[in-house]
Amino acid sequence: MKSGNQVREKMSREKPRRANLPPVQENINKLEKVISDGNSYGAQQMYKSISTRYVSAQRCAEALDLLHSGACLQLKHGEVTCGSELAVMFVDALVKGKIPCDPEIVDRIRKIYKLFPQIPVPSNFAVEDDVQELTEALGAAKTRLQSCYSFLKAAIKWSAEFGADKNGDPQLHTMLAEYIYSESPEMDMAKVSYHFVRGNNLKKFATTLVNFMSKCYPGEDDIAIARAILMYLSMGNLQDASSLMEELKKQVQAQELEFPVSDLIQFINLLLLTLEKETLPLFNALRVKYKPSIDREPAFNELVCDIAEKFYGMQRRNPFQDMFGDMLKVSDLSN
C-alpha cells in the first residue's frame, strides 16, 4: 500500500507532464515535416498519441486543431485510411468536449470532406488485362466510400446531439448524399435519397435524380422519383415533396428528356394533390387503386403508412394484435 507521500510524489511527477505539453502549433509543424518526409504511418501514430494527451489535459481546442490538421494532411497525400481515422477522431473530440454544432465547426468538417478523393469508377473495359485494373479500382472506390461514410455519419450523429436539428445538420447530410452518389461502385439510390431529404439542397437532389434517370435501367427511373417524394412526405414535408416534383419536371424539360410515365408516377401526382386538400377518403382510395404500383418497392408500403400517420393521424396496425384478435375470434367460435 502506497503512503500519502508516495501518492503526492506520483502526482507531482504527472502534473508537470500534463502542464508541459507544448503549444499545439509546434506539434502541427513537427508532424507536417514527418509526413513530408514520407513517414505517414509514423506520423499517424504520433497524431493519435499526442491528441489523446491534449484531450486528457482538457485542452480540447488544441486536440481539435491537431486532428484537423492531420486529417487534412493525410488526405492531401492520398492516405485515405489514415486521413479518415483522424477525421473520425476529430469528431470524437467534438463529442468528448461537448462542442456545440455551429457554422464554424461545420466548415471545418466540410474542409476535411472536400479532401476525400473523387475518382470516377471505370464502367467498362475492353480486354482481359483490364479486369485486374478494374477490380483494384472498385476496391479503392469502396475504401474511399466507407472511409468518408464513417466520418460523415459520425459528424451527423454529433450534430444531432449537439445541434438544433434532431436529424443532424442538413449540410452534412447533403455532403454524404453527394459522396455516396459520386463514389459508390454499386449505386444505392435509397441511401442517397435518405440523406438528400434530410439535407438542404433540393435543386442538387433533383439534378442527381435526373442524372440517375439518364443512365439507369428501364423501370428504375419512376421508382427513384417516387421514393424521393414518399420520403419527404413520410417526414410530413409536403412543401419540399411538391417543390422537388416541380424542379424535376423543369430540369427534364430543359434537357429535352422524357419524364417517366407510369401508374406509379400517376399515383405520386394524385397523392400530392390529395394531401394538399387533406382528403382522407381519397387517400384511402388511392392506396387501394394503386396497390400494385406501391408493391413494386418493398419500402413503399412502410412510407405510405408513415404518410397516413403524419397527415391523417392513422395509427399503424400491429400484426401481433391482429393475430391475437384472430385467435380470440377462433376461441369464441369454438365455445
Side-chain angles (χ1 to χ4, degrees), residues 70-294:
C72 291
L73 274 172
Q74 293 282 35
L75 288 170
K76 282 178 183 176
H77 283 78
E79 300 291 342
V80 176
T81 303
C82 288
S84 66
E85 184 181 22
L86 295 180
V88 170
M89 289 182 68
F90 175 81
V91 177
D92 287 343
L94 291 173
V95 174
K96 288 174 182 174
K98 298 182 179 179
I99 307 298
C101 178
D102 63 28
E104 182 184 351
I105 300 294
V106 172
D107 282 344
R108 297 182 80 178
I109 291 171
R110 182 183 289 104
K111 184 177 179 182
I112 296 174
Y113 160 71
K114 290 288 188 183
L115 291 170
F116 276 89
Q118 297 193 19
I119 304 168
V121 179
S123 58
N124 52 58
F125 50 96
V127 294
E128 290 186 10
D129 291 344
D130 290 333
V131 175
Q132 183 177 354
E133 183 180 340
L134 180 67
T135 302
E136 291 174 355
L138 291 174
K142 287 181 180 179
T143 298
R144 291 194 301 272
L145 177 63
Q146 188 56 51
S147 297
C148 188
Y149 185 82
S150 298
F151 161 54
L152 287 178
K153 279 290 286 183
I156 288 168
K157 185 178 179 182
W158 156 77
S159 68
E161 185 176 355
F162 296 98
D165 196 319
K166 65 177 183 180
N167 290 318
D169 187 88
Q171 297 176 73
L172 300 179
H173 278 291
T174 299
M175 291 178 211
L176 185 50
E178 289 176 339
Y179 201 80
I180 293 171
Y181 185 75
S182 68
E183 296 302 307
S184 179
E186 301 167 357
M187 186 49 58
D188 187 347
M189 285 305 295
K191 194 173 285 187
V192 171
S193 297
Y194 175 90
H195 291 290
F196 264 126
V197 299
R198 288 160 177 76
N200 63 344
N201 196 332
L202 188 146
K203 187 170 287 190
K204 178 68 177 177
F205 189 10
T207 301
T208 300
L209 285 169
V210 172
N211 179 268
F212 175 75
M213 288 160 56
S214 69
K215 59 187 181 183
C216 67
Y217 291 109
E220 289 184 339
D221 48 3
D222 62 341
I223 286 181
I225 293 170
R227 182 191 294 112
I229 301 299
L230 292 174
M231 280 185 169
Y232 270 128
L233 294 176
S234 70
M235 299 170 67
N237 191 346
L238 177 58
Q239 180 178 343
D240 282 344
S242 300
S243 297
L244 179 64
M245 183 61 91
E246 290 175 11
E247 182 64 29
L248 282 168
K249 291 177 179 177
K250 186 169 74 174
Q251 290 194 24
V252 165
Q253 185 177 11
Q255 296 182 38
E256 299 182 347
L257 302 172
E258 290 188 7
F259 199 86
V261 177
S262 69
D263 287 347
L264 182 58
I265 292 297
Q266 190 173 18
F267 165 68
I268 293 298
N269 284 323
L270 291 172
L271 178 62
L272 289 171
L273 292 172
T274 301
L275 293 177
E276 286 175 2
K277 296 178 181 179
E278 300 182 356
T279 310
L280 178 57
L282 183 53
F283 174 82
N284 288 331
L286 288 176
R287 292 181 73 173
V288 174
K289 181 178 179 180
Y290 290 97
K291 187 178 186 305
S293 297
I294 297 169

